[in-house]
Amino acid sequence: KIRMDQLGRLTYLQLYVVMRSSQNPDISRLDRCRATVFDALKGEYDKLALDVVFTHDPRWVDVSVGTDVVNSRGEDREEAP
């Protein structure tokens, strides 16, 4: 998921990447991914603030963007009455 806000002249972009549980890249590889995304976008936005969030659990993506309660598989669940 991508969330983007314009705050004055600053463009704030959050990119959420859900990885398979079998993927366990090291921090250096994730930083290279962030750098690739930033380099691809910096020419489009004069003042770019970028967060790239990596997770195995899709519920963190949903919670971070204000989606209703989800289970650990990222599916909506019903609240108990």
Side-chain angles (χ1 to χ4, degrees), residues 18 56-60 62 69-75 77:
V18 178
H56 286 204
D57 190 340
R59 80 177 149 175
W60 298 120
D62 292 329
V69 177
V70 294
N71 66 24
S72 63
R73 291 188 311 267
E75 300 165 339
R77 70 173 186 198

Side-chain angles (χ1 to χ4, degrees), residues 1-3 14 16 59-68:
K1 273 194 176 176
I2 297 174
R3 181 167 56 180
Q14 289 178 314
Y16 297 87
R59 80 177 149 175
W60 298 120
V61 175
D62 292 329
V63 169
S64 68
V65 293
T67 301
D68 293 335

Side-chain angles (χ1 to χ4, degrees), residues 9-51:
R9 295 185 332 200
L10 178 72
T11 301
Y12 178 58
L13 176 71
Q14 289 178 314
L15 173 63
Y16 297 87
V17 180
V18 178
M19 302 176 71
R20 291 186 302 269
S21 59
S22 61
Q23 293 176 297
N24 288 307
D26 61 38
I27 299 297
S28 295
R29 183 170 177 209
L30 298 177
D31 283 341
R32 286 193 303 275
C33 179
R34 286 182 183 95
T36 299
V37 171
F38 183 80
D39 289 345
L41 295 174
K42 68 182 178 185
E44 297 294 319
Y45 304 97
D46 189 34
K47 305 272 187 205
L48 176 63
L50 173 68
D51 286 332

